[in-house]
């Protein structure tokens, strides 16, 4: 898609980006156990998948932060807070650019996006989706186990492993 944008095929780049984002959002929803509105034909578009993936990641990071706070685990708390901050900024940056995807895919007399604008959109979403993966092993971060009670938000190599279990409250 970046090559298409560089070659002034903005519509082709936008179409490839949208398709890629739909695929990546679906994978993130699966890995994070996000709630996606049911569709009997199994068809979901970007609007059905991106927001649930983002919302679920924010929610999981918040739950991991609260668990780390309950244990007074300053090292884990700092790691989760850093992830929350980076993710929130990436979401903000991507949302600023998101409006440009549809006008570039579909004909619009008023939309004449240039390659630099499309590359900025691609860059913003790349920066967002890289945060759904571990920067060490490159694997999609997921909720473990895949069913039942959530225990961890983790990657395959273990660099990312945030627990959801809060410290039990001691009865007075």
């Amino acid at each position: 898609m970046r090559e298409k944008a560089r070659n002034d095929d903005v519509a082709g780049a936008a179409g490839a980006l949208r398709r890629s984002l739909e695929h990546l959002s679906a994978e993130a929803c699966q890995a994070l156990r996000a709630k996606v509105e049911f569709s009997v034909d199994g068809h979901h578009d970007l609007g059905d998948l991106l927001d649930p993936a983002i919302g679920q990641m924010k929610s999981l990071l918040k739950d991991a932060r609260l668990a780390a706070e309950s244990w007074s685990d300053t090292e884990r708390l700092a790691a989760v807070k850093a992830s929350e901050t980076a993710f929130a900024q990436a979401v903000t940056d991507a949302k600023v650019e998101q409006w440009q995807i549809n006008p570039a895919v579909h004909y619009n007399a008023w939309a004449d996006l240039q390659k630099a604008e499309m590359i900025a959109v691609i860059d913003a979403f790349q920066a967002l989706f890289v945060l759904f993966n571990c920067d060490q092993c490159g694997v999609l971060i997921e909720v473990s186990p895949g069913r039942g009670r959530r225990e961890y938000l983790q990657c395959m190599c273990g660099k990312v492993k945030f627990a959801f279990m809060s410290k039990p409250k001691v009865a007075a």
Side-chain angles (χ1 to χ4, degrees):
M1 74 188 87
R2 190 177 300 280
E3 189 64 30
K4 288 179 188 235
R6 281 193 199 111
N7 290 330
D8 283 326
D9 182 5
V10 172
L17 176 61
R18 184 179 174 105
R19 183 179 170 100
S20 177
L21 290 174
E22 287 170 347
H23 171 76
L24 293 171
S25 295
E27 293 291 319
C29 284
Q30 172 70 30
L32 301 176
R33 297 170 47 182
K35 291 181 179 9
V36 176
E37 190 169 319
F38 177 76
S39 172
V40 73
D41 65 0
H43 175 78
H44 296 96
D45 63 24
L46 185 57
D48 300 325
L49 300 167
L50 180 60
D51 288 338
I54 289 170
Q56 183 71 345
M57 180 62 95
K58 284 181 177 180
S59 177
L60 293 169
L61 289 171
K62 178 183 175 188
D63 291 349
R65 177 176 39 82
L66 293 173
E69 286 173 352
S70 76
W71 291 101
S72 300
D73 185 339
T74 56
E75 187 176 319
R76 186 166 39 125
L77 184 57
V80 175
K81 282 183 174 181
S83 293
E84 279 183 305
T85 300
F87 191 75
Q89 185 60 56
V91 168
T92 299
D93 294 347
K95 291 293 186 176
V96 165
E97 301 292 349
Q98 185 174 357
W99 74 269
Q100 297 180 75
I101 297 172
N102 272 348
V105 170
H106 305 289
Y107 172 75
N108 287 287
W110 57 269
D112 185 24
L113 299 175
Q114 303 300 309
K115 66 181 172 183
E117 294 168 310
M118 183 50 56
I119 290 172
V121 175
I122 293 167
D123 289 346
F125 278 100
Q126 183 178 13
L128 172 62
F129 273 92
V130 75
L131 297 176
F132 283 94
N133 295 282
C134 172
D135 63 5
Q136 184 168 309
C137 66
V139 173
L140 192 62
I141 297 167
E142 63 183 7
V143 172
S144 177
R147 291 192 173 276
R149 186 175 181 187
R150 302 173 316 172
E151 295 178 18
Y152 299 100
L153 182 63
Q154 64 185 32
C155 66
M156 187 180 290
C157 74
K159 180 180 179 190
V160 176
K161 188 163 188 172
F162 300 142
F164 298 121
M165 177 76 66
S166 291
K167 187 175 183 176
K169 295 186 180 185
V170 179

